[in-house]
Structure formats: structure tokens, C-alpha cells
Amino acid sequence: MKTNLKTSDAKGEIPQGVTIKTEKELAYMWEAGQVVAKTHQVLRRAIKPGITTLELDAIAEREIRSLGAIPAFKGYRGFPGTLCVSVNDEIVHGIPGKRKIKEGDLVSLDLGAIVAGLYGDAAVTWPVGEINDNLVKLLEVGEASLYAGIQKSVSGNRLGDVSSAIQMEIESRSSYGIVREYVGHGIGRQLHEQPSVPNYGIAGRGVQLRANMAIAIEPMVNLGTHETILLDDDWTVKTADGKPSVHFEHTVIITEGTPIITTKLDQ
Ligand code: MG
């Protein structure tokens, strides 16, 4: 049944570009998500002081391919890596290279995988060794805000319910900066589909969620200002004030009940 790409955005209709997945597509999205989750697990064990971000990238690519999937980011709009590695004040889209991970770093890893043309996408920020209390709290709020958004990702709710839940979770803690220029997204046969999923918004507004839609929710939370800078490499996004940032993301399938997190390992 082809239900995607309806053009009407009248109430109750599915906006242009938002896709409803078939059961078969969802099964492949689950597989792709599990590859992403397993790869993150391998990377978590590999991150230690002295390893370079390029070595982490190689580990990620090897793992994804060994699981029979294709790295989703490599070559995407010319991105050279399998992995986005963003350290400390880097928010997202860091290019793997010679940089060595150090004790006390916050390392954000973002990766995607493709199985049978369907995508999974997830990010996580890991602390390396001992970090100070401010950073521990920043990590906690980043992850909590992702789950606040996931909890609202239920058929019948609107996108604004998801966005505002993320925003409220963050702003209830302290004056953190919520990144605005980069947002979550629909996902399926493409890495980035409609709708955009901002990490701030007004409850009750926006696209109505339906069963078998899929979205990648990805709050980026800064210790200081929400403002960002794009580096000369045209990829790496940093905080404008040089303070650290965290990034947490899962790919989520909407259902009538509890959302399915494809990029979380089945326990
Ligand atoms: Mg994403």
C-alpha cells in the first residue's frame, strides 16, 4: 500500500514528504537500528585516552559492514567518515582525523546504517574517565531530554508535543543552551525526511504523529549559549562560546502505544 507523499496538509492528512512505512520497511528499519546500536556498543568499549577519532571511525565502519549493513553517513553530501566524532565544544558533524581522545573529554558519536535501503541513526555522548559535576549533569539532562521526547512520540500527539517535552526537560534543570540550527528528522528510505523535529516548540502544534511514521529525535544541549559556529571544514559545528555540548539521538517508530526505539539493543 502506497501511503506516502500525499500532497494535502489539511487537518488529518499526512503532509508532503512525511512517509508511513510498511511492515516490511519497519522490519528493515529495526535491523538497521540494531546494527547502529551494536556499533555504538563496540565503540563505547573502544573509546579510551590515546585513540584517534580516525581509529574510532575505522572500528565503526568495520562493525557496520561485518553486520551486513552499509554506513549511512560515508559519502553523504561528501562527508568522508562513517562516524561523526564531536569532542567537547564540538556539537555535531566532527570529521574523524588525527585528534587523540584525552582523559576528561566528552566524545559525541553519531552514526547511521542502511539495511535493504532503510535507515537507522543514533548518537550518544560518552565521558572519558573522570569529568566534573557540571558535565555529569549536562550528560544527564541531554539523555533525559531525549527520553522525554520519545515518551511523547505516540500516534495522535503532535510534533510540538515532542519538541516542547524536550525543551521543558532541559529548561527545568538549568539555563542550558538548546541548539536551534540543527534538529531531528523523519527517517526511512532516506536519512533525512520530513518532518523536521526541533528540540524546542509549543505543545499541540505541528504535524500529527501516526502509527508507522519514524523520526530521529536528537537533542543537542550546550553548557552555555545555544549559538553555534560552523568551522572552515564546512562540517564541524561548535558552540559559539567554546563551552561543551552533548548530543543524544535515537530512531523511533511511532505506534498507538509505546514507541519502538530501533537503535536500542533488545534487552
Ligand atoms: Mg540524525
Side-chain angles (χ1 to χ4, degrees):
M1 187 173 65
K2 270 210 160 92
T3 51
N4 59 340
L5 297 176
K6 286 186 179 173
T7 51
S8 171
D9 61 355
K11 205 173 178 185
E13 290 295 307
I14 295 156
Q16 189 164 20
V18 175
T19 60
I20 304 291
K21 280 74 181 173
T22 64
E23 293 300 324
K24 194 172 175 184
E25 286 173 325
L26 292 175
Y28 287 129
M29 285 194 75
W30 172 259
E31 280 187 40
Q34 294 296 290
V35 169
V36 170
K38 285 172 189 163
T39 304
H40 271 301
Q41 195 178 48
V42 169
L43 290 166
R44 182 186 190 173
R45 292 191 207 108
I47 292 182
K48 51 181 186 272
I51 195 164
T52 68
T53 56
L54 196 61
E55 286 168 330
L56 291 171
D57 184 77
I59 291 167
E61 180 167 6
R62 196 183 318 132
E63 183 67 19
I64 290 170
R65 293 196 192 280
S66 78
L67 293 167
I70 298 168
F73 295 178
K74 194 160 192 165
Y76 181 83
R77 296 186 179 172
F79 189 78
T82 290
L83 199 59
C84 293
V85 192
S86 309
V87 183
N88 298 333
D89 62 338
E90 296 172 350
I91 302 168
V92 285
H93 305 163
I95 299 173
K98 290 177 188 165
R99 181 177 190 156
K100 283 187 178 172
I101 300 303
K102 296 196 308 284
E103 174 89 14
D105 279 346
L106 285 184
V107 182
S108 298
L109 302 178
D110 191 355
L111 69 100
I114 312 168
V115 172
L118 278 299
Y119 284 75
D121 181 9
V124 59
T125 301
W126 298 117
V128 182
E130 289 286 308
I131 57 168
N132 70 44
D133 285 353
N134 280 343
L135 298 185
V136 172
K137 285 181 189 154
L138 182 65
L139 286 167
E140 281 170 4
V141 71
E143 187 166 29
S145 69
L146 168 59
Y147 280 93
I150 291 173
Q151 209 174 29
K152 294 287 183 182
S153 300
V154 177
S155 177
N157 279 357
R158 291 189 179 269
L159 209 54
D161 298 319
V162 176
S163 298
S164 76
I166 295 168
Q167 181 180 6
M168 285 195 300
E169 184 66 41
I170 296 165
E171 291 181 345
S172 70
R173 310 278 188 123
S174 184
S175 55
Y176 295 109
I178 302 174
V179 173
R180 291 163 186 272
E181 289 99 331
Y182 303 89
V183 296
H185 48 92
I187 181 167
R189 288 197 173 276
Q190 293 179 62
L191 179 58
H192 296 124
E193 297 185 353
Q194 292 298 322
S196 290
V197 184
N199 297 303
Y200 57 92
I202 300 168
R205 299 242 182 115
V207 172
Q208 190 162 40
L209 300 175
R210 303 286 189 86
N212 296 6
M213 280 183 187
I215 52 176
I217 303 174
E218 49 177 322
M220 289 146 261
V221 186
N222 301 346
L223 192 59
T225 179
H226 69 84
E227 286 171 20
T228 68
I229 292 172
L230 179 65
L231 295 194
D232 287 343
D233 64 16
D234 269 344
W235 280 106
T236 313
V237 179
K238 288 174 84 160
T239 58
D241 60 5
K243 291 186 179 174
S245 181
V246 297
H247 181 205
F248 289 88
E249 176 183 26
H250 274 307
T251 296
V252 175
I253 295 167
I254 311 297
T255 75
E256 302 289 343
T258 308
I260 298 165
I261 305 173
T262 69
T263 44
K264 195 169 184 175
L265 285 182
D266 219 1
Q267 306 285 320

